Amino acid sequence: MKRPRPRPRPRPRPRRRPRPSPAPPARAAAALLAAALTALVALSGGGPAHAFTGDNHEDITRGALPWQPTTLAQMADARDGAINANDKRPYFDLGPLHCDNADYLAPRHDPHYPRTRDEATTELIACVGTSVARFRNAVRAADGLVDADGRVRADQTDLSAPCIWDERPGPAKCDVLEQLGRGWHQLEDFYSHSNWSDEAAPGAVGVANPPGLGRTGVAPFFDIRRYSGMKDADWNREVRALVPEDLATGCYPDFDSTGVKPADCEGRVAHNRDLNKDTPASARATTGDNFRHATAGATAEITRQWNAFKDELLAAHPERGRGAQMVCALVHDDPVADCPAG
């Protein structure tokens, strides 16, 4: 979904005081991830936009989440919401954070295509893995929303000052929203960047007009909650078994899962030219109802992911209703008042 060129950063807002307790394991993992991402993009130059616009991400996310207005804005805002945090550097230039570079054409369409099905699926698995890691982090961070007796912690759920999406420890609610937003962004992008739900234009199928799968349901290989409880090798194998032969996302000259930045996408199904449905005016979006199908698929996906996250909290924290209180604290703008302990 169309990623805007980075804009000049606004003057930093005063940072909230971090939680006094030690950073949870999720933060250590996030720090390692951030360091790896920074290392990858240190060599990167700028590039053209290549994702749903922030406005489209906002519309999709608002359509998927039944949250109260302030909390929803923190997640969905087109410029400053957590759902758009991956569209800022260093995350902007990393293909797995946008489900890029899983391009492929079967031999019946192009017997000399320069990528194998296995190579393309490896890139898709990298995309899925970023969401699995963020889901695990969000579950850990949610434990800070309530105390041991299930009472909402005011200092950890107050949104009177905006959250800052910089991977640093902050109030638990901001931490959860950041992890979810950074994990959901690429799932939304998948429906724009792939041929999962679209159709090809009339004429010959090939590099400039890849086949469309025309799927109407959500992708089965985004079972993020279940994967979060599995060994990575096990869910990797499952994803490989579920990927359709003709599935492709577009090649884009950002860093792929190996840390390599393609010089160009010549001879490959290109994101910008051939496949994206980032706006209604994108070339692929003008065929049939492709743009609407992409946004509908992304909206259904985020609804599924939110329901799965709720289910995980309820299952992981049944004691004294803590899981239910965590869910309530995430949905409500004033959870101390709206989520009294039972």
Side-chain angles (χ1 to χ4, degrees):
M1 305 174 178
K2 190 166 184 177
R3 278 187 257 169
R5 290 180 182 274
R7 304 183 219 187
R9 293 179 64 91
R11 181 176 299 172
R13 294 183 288 257
R15 178 171 304 285
R16 292 174 161 205
R17 181 175 299 172
R19 292 195 295 277
S21 57
R27 279 298 167 186
L32 290 174
L33 175 62
L37 298 177
T38 302
L40 280 177
V41 301
L43 302 176
S44 172
H50 63 116
F52 266 142
T53 63
D55 288 342
N56 286 334
H57 275 295
E58 177 168 357
D59 290 345
I60 288 163
T61 307
R62 285 185 178 277
L65 300 177
W67 296 0
Q68 291 191 345
T70 299
T71 302
L72 185 56
Q74 287 289 302
M75 174 58 80
D77 183 76
R79 181 180 176 88
D80 295 320
I83 198 67
N84 283 307
N86 283 359
D87 277 348
K88 298 187 170 77
R89 286 194 169 94
Y91 310 89
F92 178 85
D93 294 307
L94 298 174
L97 299 186
H98 312 278
C99 269
D100 292 336
N101 302 316
D103 55 291
Y104 175 70
L105 281 179
R108 70 185 187 280
H109 299 307
D110 185 343
H112 305 295
Y113 197 76
R115 302 260 297 191
T116 66
R117 174 69 269 168
D118 184 68
E119 288 172 327
T121 301
T122 295
E123 291 305 313
L124 181 64
I125 288 172
C127 173
V128 176
T130 63
S131 293
V132 172
R134 294 298 188 176
F135 185 99
R136 291 168 176 161
N137 291 350
V139 170
R140 296 187 187 103
D143 190 55
L145 295 167
V146 301
D147 66 19
D149 296 317
R151 290 187 293 267
V152 172
R153 298 179 60 184
D155 62 323
Q156 298 303 316
T157 57
D158 177 29
L159 294 180
S160 59
C163 299
I164 300 173
W165 318 121
D166 60 2
E167 305 276 13
R168 299 181 186 180
K173 187 164 182 175
C174 292
D175 291 352
V176 175
L177 294 180
E178 179 167 18
Q179 295 303 316
L180 291 179
R182 290 193 185 277
W184 289 348
H185 177 95
Q186 49 269 47
L187 303 185
E188 292 186 6
D189 274 355
F190 169 81
Y191 292 89
S192 169
H193 295 185
S194 78
N195 62 347
W196 175 260
S197 62
D198 72 9
E199 60 180 291
V205 168
V207 171
N209 187 31
L213 299 184
R215 303 295 178 94
T216 57
V218 292
F221 40 80
F222 287 156
D223 197 353
I224 305 300
R225 180 195 175 199
R226 191 165 64 83
Y227 294 167
S228 73
M230 298 168 64
K231 293 181 179 179
D232 288 347
D234 292 338
W235 69 255
N236 280 203
R237 283 191 295 271
E238 180 171 313
V239 171
R240 287 192 184 278
L242 290 170
V243 171
E245 172 69 8
D246 284 334
L247 179 68
T249 74
C251 173
Y252 188 83
D254 52 18
F255 289 98
D256 65 18
S257 67
T258 70
V260 173
K261 183 177 182 182
D264 57 52
C265 294
E266 190 66 30
R268 296 169 63 178
V269 174
H271 170 94
N272 281 344
R273 182 187 67 231
D274 306 321
L275 196 53
N276 88 78
K277 296 159 289 291
D278 293 339
T279 74
S282 301
R284 186 79 169 191
T286 61
T287 294
D289 214 6
N290 283 350
F291 180 74
R292 186 181 67 82
H293 289 160
T295 56
T299 303
E301 186 62 65
I302 300 309
T303 297
R304 171 170 70 153
Q305 296 302 325
W306 167 238
N307 287 335
F309 186 70
K310 288 192 299 181
D311 290 344
E312 180 65 19
L313 295 184
L314 294 172
H317 299 286
E319 72 284 0
R320 293 174 292 283
R322 292 185 76 240
Q325 287 292 89
M326 293 175 194
V327 173
C328 189
L330 288 171
V331 169
H332 289 84
D333 292 341
D334 185 7
V336 173
D338 294 339
C339 309

